[in-house]
Amino acid sequence: MHVTGHTRGGKRPGIRDVATAAGVSYQTVSRVINDHPSVKPATRERVLATIQTLGFRRSATALALASGRTRSVTVLTANTTHYGYAATLQGVEEAARAAGYTVAIGVLESDTVADVRAEVRRAADTGGGLIVMAYDTAGVRALAAVPDELPVVGVVETPSRPPAGHRPWVWTDDREAARTATRHLLDLGHETVHYVAIPSSTRRTGQRTAGWRDALRAAGAPEPRPLAGSWDPAGGYQAGRRLARDPSVTAILCGNDDLALGVIRALHEAGRAIPGEVSVAGFDDAPHSAFLTPSLTTVRLDFTGLGRAAFGRLHGLLEEAEPVAPRPVSVPLLIVRESSGPPPAPLPPNPPSEVPRA
Amino acid sequence: MHVTGHTRGGKRPGIRDVATAAGVSYQTVSRVINDHPSVKPATRERVLATIQTLGFRRSATALALASGRTRSVTVLTANTTHYGYAATLQGVEEAARAAGYTVAIGVLESDTVADVRAEVRRAADTGGGLIVMAYDTAGVRALAAVPDELPVVGVVETPSRPPAGHRPWVWTDDREAARTATRHLLDLGHETVHYVAIPSSTRRTGQRTAGWRDALRAAGAPEPRPLAGSWDPAGGYQAGRRLARDPSVTAILCGNDDLALGVIRALHEAGRAIPGEVSVAGFDDAPHSAFLTPSLTTVRLDFTGLGRAAFGRLHGLLEEAEPVAPRPVSVPLLIVRESSGPPPAPLPPNPPSEVPRA
DNA sequence: CTGAAAGCGCTTACAG
DNA sequence: CTGAAAGCGCTTACAG
């Protein structure tokens, strides 16, 4: 089953084939396919009909070469399998498809400056715009390595300074999200909240860590040292084993849901009940988090919306649309599930000799 | 920080700029960048040096237009967030990057014939090769809608007939994998194994379902009706609720790990112990499956290897390399974890009046 | 081993 | 409203 109808000629019909078939110059065909206003309606109809019967499709590469603008965007990312990355990519793709753009993907496999630069170069060769996922070292370096003349938008952690106008950024309000989650745990009655961090994209403290700290300070709660985690359940598991040894730990916030999964596993192995003895909250609301046992309290972030916004900004950059004021894409939403609850009742100073009745 | 060094001229240098700077014709430059043998070593050196200093990078779109071959592959897929899809995509990307190919991605959002065709057309316009993830209806339809003249490789369920030479397919041996997992459960002593299926990509029975049935028949076990599932934990949860009501169910195989997650959640809510009362096994070995509680018994499939193989076939097709005999990409590996175990001891015919001693 | 010509399939000014 | 020219940055034959 063929998609196009031009089986006879051998190669696909070009603008000139359409022209001769329609009895006009190829010039006019170009005008029709570009929606140029000055074409007589009758002529336009005739050309359109010919395009239809010949199955003409304008060559994207010829268009790119002649016009100088490629209707494509390449997404540069260190990861494609983690939920946040994949969902953001999906958002970019949706928006790009709607706008008739092609989306390419470049994976930053190594984060050395040389490798990152090579990958940026490759992406630049494609000719279109760039969207860089700058959540990690590789991404941050890639964003920095993009030449000034290239249209690029960064998907970043909440920026501390406003981004420059010609290099828009998009972000979710991770700091506020972390504050919200931490407050939730504090409000439940926990004395403090421990934090297992995702790797920071820069040398500075990550936004999620900052938000967690904000909330602790605002509540006057002690500030334990955050545990360096990773992106994976395995990293959460390591951190969880350490935290499980400390009986004073009653609440743990994790930098993402995968870390939380590992932490929960470690606590479980150590025999600590969740949420009876320890509460755990995650970040992202990955699709499986609602089905875990216990189901995971977490903060939902709108990644596909973030991806759509990233493409929107890039599109504006490429087509000289009006610039939009940068702002976080959406408000994070706290989802309370089974993994968080009040802390265990403190041991009474003088243990009663009798078991209290229910 | 700039990636290229050509800040002065304004626009990026072309083949002609290099030629004049090196004192040769642009012809020779073309030969050098194409590794043509007949260039005097000294000349080659000089040109290479000039390319370096000028920061010349050959235009991919000009190359594509002039040569007719685009060094790009677009992956057509209905999904980017499920682990199997994402990991396969990653494999394609790895191999493509190593070969200097660009990878684009097209998402099949709807599976209606019209929408699928439109998406195939868009992908075809890009000009390169196609890799179609044909695990679902949209993918199968997309593969069918690809015009004959386009180089394409399908990533499919185990094919029942050998694929045609000019349209290679790659696959993992899902049927054998399902047999292995089912046998594992049967060997544990379960009378039979229930199955929660992923949606079939065609009207016929899926390969995983077929393998499960093979194993039951070989063992002479009863064949319960498979439960229609989905790709998501939510589908597994629905199926799990139904299975939880049937006390005779002691072993459940799921079409993927996400389904298994939902099934386990439902069993847990119904108060059925895993694996004490019911054993559950999944499919795929997603990254989180090892950290669930109980950790999930599953069959590991090499998705990134599958992606690399898919690109390898396409590359062969595009560069006229020698055709390779089609075969499954790798042998599935059973990973036994906590979610599977022997069935509960049968209730003794005459319950003893005393509690047996430990 | 190296150069001059034609062309890939379009678009962008320039004419009328 | 419509046509003829030049060119986007390369490659592919064709000459020497």
Side-chain angles (χ1 to χ4, degrees):
Chain A
M1 112 166 118
H2 276 243
V3 156
T4 48
H6 54 92
T7 330
R8 39 204 160 162
K11 45 182 290 210
R12 25 186 295 190
I15 201 182
R16 292 179 158 100
D17 301 306
V18 174
T20 50
V24 295
S25 73
Y26 63 84
Q27 211 37 257
T28 301
V29 177
S30 173
R31 285 200 188 85
V32 170
I33 61 183
N34 286 298
D35 285 322
H36 192 93
S38 59
V39 176
K40 199 161 66 179
T43 314
R44 178 186 303 277
E45 291 308 312
R46 193 147 35 91
V47 171
L48 251 20
T50 313
I51 283 174
Q52 196 68 9
T53 53
L54 256 49
F56 165 81
R57 309 223 83 215
R58 163 224 259 147
S59 155
T61 92
L63 169 62
L65 186 59
S67 70
R69 60 204 149 79
T70 309
R71 294 179 89 82
S72 85
V73 45
T74 118
V75 179
L76 238 32
T77 176
N79 194 289
T80 55
T81 55
H82 286 148
Y83 173 66
Y85 288 87
T88 306
L89 176 61
Q90 190 174 278
V92 171
E93 200 279 339
E94 264 176 34
R97 178 152 35 90
Y101 273 60
T102 276
V103 7
I105 161 171
V107 172
L108 303 163
E109 203 167 45
S110 136
D111 66 2
T112 67
V113 172
D115 289 343
V116 163
R117 285 194 176 192
E119 199 51 36
V120 168
R121 255 193 300 264
R122 274 172 44 79
D125 287 347
T126 304
L130 251 46
I131 290 177
V132 180
M133 301 284 293
Y135 282 144
D136 42 53
T137 310
V140 168
R141 286 187 172 154
L143 195 51
V146 174
D148 279 343
E149 64 273 22
L150 246 53
V152 58
V153 0
V155 180
V156 302
E157 291 192 76
T158 314
S160 36
R161 304 157 289 157
H166 65 297
R167 308 200 106 187
W169 291 347
V170 296
W171 67 92
T172 52
D173 198 344
D174 283 27
R175 187 162 185 164
E176 176 56 26
R179 270 190 220 112
T180 305
T182 307
R183 253 191 321 253
H184 160 67
L185 262 4
L186 257 14
D187 289 349
L188 245 20
H190 295 274
E191 197 197 329
T192 189
V193 175
H194 290 255
Y195 182 62
V196 179
I198 50 174
S200 174
S201 59
T202 59
R203 254 169 250 125
R204 300 174 315 135
T205 302
Q207 291 296 324
R208 295 183 180 186
T209 305
W212 159 74
R213 196 163 276 150
D214 289 347
L216 292 186
R217 285 191 186 157
E223 291 177 36
R225 280 192 53 170
L227 276 81
S230 68
W231 296 93
D232 302 303
Y237 181 75
Q238 300 299 340
R241 284 170 62 115
R242 285 228 292 283
L243 290 168
R245 282 190 218 110
D246 181 350
S248 76
V249 173
T250 66
I252 305 172
L253 176 65
C254 300
N256 73 25
D257 284 1
D258 278 340
L259 285 174
L261 189 64
V263 165
I264 288 174
R265 173 78 201 183
L267 290 172
H268 173 80
E269 287 183 9
R272 315 273 318 254
I274 303 163
E277 298 174 55
V278 185
S279 285
V280 178
F283 233 102
D284 293 357
D285 194 27
H288 57 255
S289 296
F291 292 91
L292 298 175
T293 303
S295 59
L296 189 64
T297 291
T298 188
V299 189
R300 180 180 296 165
L301 263 16
D302 180 14
F303 289 113
T304 57
L306 185 66
R308 282 192 299 264
F311 178 78
R313 290 287 154 68
L314 186 67
H315 197 200
L317 227 54
L318 293 171
E319 323 237 308
E320 330 267 10
E322 76 288 0
V324 192
R327 50 170 182 72
V329 158
S330 68
V331 183
L333 180 65
L334 178 72
I335 317 259
V336 178
R337 297 204 185 98
E338 297 165 354
S339 68
S340 61
L347 292 175
N350 293 312
S353 48
E354 268 185 69
V355 175
R357 291 160 204 184
Chain B
M1 114 168 118
H2 275 243
V3 155
T4 48
H6 55 91
T7 329
R8 37 208 162 160
K11 46 184 290 212
R12 23 186 298 188
I15 201 181
R16 293 179 158 101
D17 301 305
V18 175
T20 49
V24 295
S25 73
Y26 62 83
Q27 209 39 257
T28 302
V29 177
S30 173
R31 285 198 188 88
V32 170
I33 61 182
N34 286 298
D35 283 323
H36 193 94
S38 60
V39 176
K40 199 162 65 179
T43 313
R44 178 185 303 278
E45 290 308 313
R46 193 147 33 91
V47 171
L48 251 19
T50 312
I51 284 175
Q52 195 69 8
T53 54
L54 256 49
F56 165 81
R57 310 223 82 216
R58 163 223 259 149
S59 154
T61 93
L63 169 63
L65 184 59
S67 71
R69 60 203 150 79
T70 309
R71 294 178 90 80
S72 85
V73 45
T74 119
V75 178
L76 238 33
T77 177
N79 194 288
T80 56
T81 53
H82 285 147
Y83 173 66
Y85 288 85
T88 306
L89 177 61
Q90 189 174 278
V92 171
E93 200 278 341
E94 264 176 33
R97 178 151 36 90
Y101 272 60
T102 276
V103 8
I105 161 170
V107 172
L108 304 163
E109 203 167 45
S110 136
D111 67 2
T112 68
V113 172
D115 289 342
V116 163
R117 285 193 176 191
E119 199 51 36
V120 168
R121 255 193 300 263
R122 272 172 45 78
D125 286 348
T126 303
L130 252 45
I131 290 177
V132 179
M133 301 284 294
Y135 282 145
D136 42 54
T137 310
V140 168
R141 285 186 174 155
L143 195 51
V146 175
D148 279 343
E149 64 274 20
L150 246 54
V152 58
V153 1
V155 181
V156 302
E157 291 192 77
T158 314
S160 35
R161 306 156 287 157
H166 66 295
R167 308 200 106 188
W169 291 347
V170 295
W171 67 92
T172 51
D173 198 344
D174 282 27
R175 187 162 185 165
E176 176 56 25
R179 271 190 219 111
T180 304
T182 308
R183 253 193 318 253
H184 160 67
L185 263 4
L186 256 15
D187 289 350
L188 246 18
H190 295 273
E191 196 197 329
T192 189
V193 175
H194 291 255
Y195 182 62
V196 180
I198 50 175
S200 174
S201 58
T202 59
R203 256 168 249 124
R204 300 174 316 134
T205 301
Q207 291 296 323
R208 295 184 180 186
T209 306
W212 159 74
R213 196 164 276 151
D214 288 347
L216 291 185
R217 286 193 185 155
E223 291 177 36
R225 280 192 52 171
L227 276 81
S230 68
W231 295 94
D232 301 303
Y237 181 74
Q238 300 299 342
R241 284 171 61 114
R242 286 228 292 284
L243 289 168
R245 283 189 218 111
D246 181 350
S248 76
V249 172
T250 66
I252 304 172
L253 175 64
C254 299
N256 73 26
D257 284 1
D258 279 339
L259 285 174
L261 189 63
V263 165
I264 287 174
R265 173 78 200 184
L267 290 172
H268 173 81
E269 287 182 9
R272 316 270 322 249
I274 304 163
E277 298 175 56
V278 184
S279 286
V280 178
F283 233 103
D284 293 357
D285 194 28
H288 58 255
S289 296
F291 293 91
L292 298 174
T293 304
S295 59
L296 188 64
T297 291
T298 189
V299 189
R300 181 180 296 165
L301 263 16
D302 180 14
F303 289 114
T304 58
L306 185 65
R308 281 192 299 264
F311 178 78
R313 290 286 154 67
L314 187 66
H315 197 201
L317 227 54
L318 293 171
E319 322 238 307
E320 329 268 11
E322 75 289 1
V324 191
R327 50 170 181 72
V329 158
S330 68
V331 183
L333 180 65
L334 179 72
I335 316 258
V336 178
R337 298 203 185 100
E338 297 165 354
S339 67
S340 61
L347 292 175
N350 293 312
S353 49
E354 270 185 66
V355 176
R357 294 164 201 180

